[in-house]
């Protein structure tokens, strides 16, 4: 039979590369076929989630940036400066974290979803019309964020006017000046040509883009042990593949942007410049706890413990 798998990006973007590897592994190791639905073929991120929950889709890749509206604890990925910038550390965290691999699956299960894997998509940068070196520079900037209350809170704390929008409205919104900024990993800024409609790319080191693959839980529970194992193995293979694939991807994407539009500035804020943004993180963490209570606190504490365990310093 055929399993339907939708994701939030194009086939040659990170989620698409992950999906292709998953498909290849499943088809090599079973009689099942996987049909891939890239962004735009079945609607926005919220639409594909609904389809997966209702069982029209067997698999969905959705980022906590959107899932946070459904599972409030998933917003923990938007506490600024929580995840490490070091790639090896970050990868090892995703591999070994108890919060990610044991606690989150229980929360996703409450929504009828079997959480198969969470994985990183790269350091997030802001793109804006005007240069940004201080929170004051974000005053009056309508800054697009994914539809997630804590991310709204973050950008409010950073000094901007956060504007939650689905992905499909971002390029046009920047072009028509409805919004003047947005954040995403470098590969996505390059592949979607957002550098055409914003002029300054700024890294403040506040986050890495996290995403997640899940299955409809009734579908998954109804499978044989062998088929479940095929899926788990394919997911593990796709995970290692996508980490390797991303080695050097951010730098290559920035080079491509420099080439395509040399007047775009690319700035990495230094530690002093980051300080006021870091200071804003504490209030965002506090808001996360207010939104999610004891369960959120438990997840956050476990994440910090898991991060300590992989920290090289
Ligand atoms: O900003 C967004 O909405 C999108 N960003 C990425 C990197 N993937 C999918 C998501 O929809």
């Amino acid at each position: 039979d055929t399993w339907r798998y939708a994701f939030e990006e194009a086939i040659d973007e990170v989620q698409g590369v992950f999906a292709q590897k998953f498909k290849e592994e499943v088809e090599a190791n079973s009689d099942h076929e996987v049909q891939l639905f890239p962004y735009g073929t079945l609607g926005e991120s919220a639409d594909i989630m609904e389809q997966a929950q209702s069982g029209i889709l067997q698999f969905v890749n959705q980022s906590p940036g959107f899932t946070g509206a459904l599972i409030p604890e998933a917003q923990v990925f938007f506490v600024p400066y929580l995840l490490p910038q070091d790639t090896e550390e970050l990868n090892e965290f995703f591999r070994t974290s108890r919060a990610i691999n044991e606690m989150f699956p229980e929360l996703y299960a409450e929504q009828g979803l079997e959480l198969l894997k969470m994985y990183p998509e790269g350091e997030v940068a802001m793109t804006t019309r005007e240069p940004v070196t201080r929170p004051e520079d974000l005053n009056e900037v309508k800054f697009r964020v994914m539809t997630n209350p804590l991310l709204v809170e973050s950008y409010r704390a950073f000094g901007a006017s956060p504007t939650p929008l689905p992905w499909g409205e971002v390029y046009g919104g920047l072009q028509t000046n409805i919004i003047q900024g947005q954040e995403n990993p470098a590969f996505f800024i390059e592949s979607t040509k957002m550098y055409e409609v914003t002029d300054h790319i700024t890294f403040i080191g506040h986050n890495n883009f996290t995403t997640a693959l899940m299955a409809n839980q009734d579908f998954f529970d109804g499978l044989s042990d062998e088929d479940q194992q095929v899926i788990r193995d394919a997911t593990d293979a796709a995970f290692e593949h996508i980490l390797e694939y991303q080695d050097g991807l951010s730098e290559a994407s920035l080079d491509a942007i420099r080439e395509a539009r040399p007047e775009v500035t690319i700035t990495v804020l230094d530690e002093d410049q980051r300080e006021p943004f870091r200071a804003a993180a504490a209030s965002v963490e506090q808001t996360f706890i207010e939104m999610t209570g004891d369960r959120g606190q438990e997840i956050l504490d476990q994440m910090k413990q898991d991060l300590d365990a992989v920290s090289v310093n």
Side-chain angles (χ1 to χ4, degrees), residues 161-278:
S161 302
T163 310
L165 288 174
W167 166 242
E169 290 172 45
V170 180
Y171 189 96
L174 289 167
Q175 204 170 24
T176 54
N177 203 28
I178 288 168
I179 46 173
Q180 296 90 34
Q182 66 84 39
E183 62 158 36
N184 256 305
F187 87 85
F188 201 65
I189 296 169
E190 196 273 324
S191 60
T192 62
K193 299 199 187 321
M194 276 184 283
Y195 57 82
E196 293 176 342
V197 286
T198 40
D199 307 302
H200 302 279
I201 299 177
T202 311
F203 290 89
I204 65 169
H206 70 302
N207 212 358
N208 197 293
F209 194 99
T210 297
T211 197
L213 174 66
M214 55 220 106
N216 173 287
Q217 191 148 44
D218 290 340
F219 155 75
F220 191 81
D221 290 347
L223 293 173
S224 65
D225 289 351
E226 277 133 280
D227 279 344
Q228 288 188 356
Q229 198 53 47
V230 166
I231 289 173
R232 295 215 184 276
D233 292 346
T235 309
D236 287 343
F239 176 78
E240 290 304 329
H241 179 69
I242 206 62
L243 297 186
E244 213 171 290
Y245 173 79
Q246 289 183 77
D247 190 19
L249 180 63
S250 192
E251 294 75 9
S253 304
L254 294 175
D255 284 345
I257 292 172
R258 282 188 193 99
E259 177 133 359
R261 194 164 170 242
E263 59 272 37
V264 171
T265 73
I266 300 173
T267 309
V268 180
L269 297 197
D270 65 28
E271 275 310 317
D272 285 349
Q273 292 170 313
R274 287 177 191 197
E275 198 38 51
F277 292 102
R278 265 187 210 283

Side-chain angles (χ1 to χ4, degrees), residues 35 69 81 172 181 214 238 242 291 302:
Q35 191 180 5
Y81 299 101
M214 55 220 106
I242 206 62
M291 283 174 172
Q302 185 63 46

Side-chain angles (χ1 to χ4, degrees), residues 8-9 15 39 45 63 66 121 144 146 165-167 170 182-185 187-188 209:
E8 305 168 313
E9 295 175 8
Q15 289 182 20
Y39 175 79
S45 188
S63 308
F66 296 107
E121 290 198 52
R144 178 270 176 171
M146 291 178 281
L165 288 174
W167 166 242
V170 180
Q182 66 84 39
E183 62 158 36
N184 256 305
F187 87 85
F188 201 65
F209 194 99

Side-chain angles (χ1 to χ4, degrees), residues 22-309:
F22 176 86
K23 172 183 163 76
E24 186 189 309
E25 292 289 318
V26 167
E27 293 180 353
N29 295 300
S30 74
D31 294 333
H32 303 288
E33 267 178 47
V34 179
Q35 191 180 5
L36 298 179
F37 295 91
Y39 175 79
T41 54
L42 298 174
E44 287 287 354
S45 188
D47 301 314
I48 57 176
M49 176 52 93
E50 261 182 48
Q51 291 158 22
Q53 284 184 298
S54 68
I56 298 170
L57 289 171
Q58 283 71 48
F59 297 94
V60 65
N61 190 135
Q62 190 189 55
S63 308
F66 296 107
T67 317
L70 194 68
I71 303 170
E73 293 83 355
Q75 298 179 103
V76 74
F77 294 100
F78 299 93
V79 173
Y81 299 101
L82 182 62
L83 297 181
Q85 279 201 273
D86 180 85
T87 309
E88 279 312 309
E89 228 176 273
L90 184 74
N91 293 350
E92 199 51 21
F93 165 70
F94 276 94
R95 268 189 208 105
T96 58
S97 164
R98 229 195 107 222
I100 286 190
N101 297 298
E102 292 172 35
M103 292 169 85
F104 271 118
E106 289 178 20
L107 302 179
Y108 279 66
E110 292 173 5
Q111 299 298 328
L113 298 163
E114 175 75 27
L115 176 62
L116 294 169
K117 198 62 94 182
M118 287 184 164
Y119 62 96
E121 290 198 52
E123 185 175 346
V124 171
M126 302 190 215
T127 76
T128 49
R129 297 194 149 206
E130 302 293 332
V132 175
T133 54
R134 315 161 304 163
E136 292 75 23
D137 297 327
L138 289 170
N139 282 353
E140 312 294 316
V141 174
K142 288 204 205 72
F143 199 99
R144 178 270 176 171
V145 292
M146 291 178 281
T147 50
N148 170 322
L150 199 71
L151 194 50
V152 167
E153 217 37 64
S154 285
Y155 272 89
R156 193 168 291 140
F158 287 166
S161 302
T163 310
L165 288 174
W167 166 242
E169 290 172 45
V170 180
Y171 189 96
L174 289 167
Q175 204 170 24
T176 54
N177 203 28
I178 288 168
I179 46 173
Q180 296 90 34
Q182 66 84 39
E183 62 158 36
N184 256 305
F187 87 85
F188 201 65
I189 296 169
E190 196 273 324
S191 60
T192 62
K193 299 199 187 321
M194 276 184 283
Y195 57 82
E196 293 176 342
V197 286
T198 40
D199 307 302
H200 302 279
I201 299 177
T202 311
F203 290 89
I204 65 169
H206 70 302
N207 212 358
N208 197 293
F209 194 99
T210 297
T211 197
L213 174 66
M214 55 220 106
N216 173 287
Q217 191 148 44
D218 290 340
F219 155 75
F220 191 81
D221 290 347
L223 293 173
S224 65
D225 289 351
E226 277 133 280
D227 279 344
Q228 288 188 356
Q229 198 53 47
V230 166
I231 289 173
R232 295 215 184 276
D233 292 346
T235 309
D236 287 343
F239 176 78
E240 290 304 329
H241 179 69
I242 206 62
L243 297 186
E244 213 171 290
Y245 173 79
Q246 289 183 77
D247 190 19
L249 180 63
S250 192
E251 294 75 9
S253 304
L254 294 175
D255 284 345
I257 292 172
R258 282 188 193 99
E259 177 133 359
R261 194 164 170 242
E263 59 272 37
V264 171
T265 73
I266 300 173
T267 309
V268 180
L269 297 197
D270 65 28
E271 275 310 317
D272 285 349
Q273 292 170 313
R274 287 177 191 197
E275 198 38 51
F277 292 102
R278 265 187 210 283
S283 75
V284 180
E285 184 172 317
Q286 193 51 44
T287 306
F288 172 72
I289 299 304
E290 283 160 22
M291 283 174 172
T292 56
D294 290 347
R295 284 176 20 146
Q297 182 80 61
E298 244 177 86
I299 285 263
L300 179 65
D301 290 347
Q302 185 63 46
M303 262 177 87
K304 286 182 177 173
Q305 216 173 304
D306 299 342
L307 286 163
D308 273 350

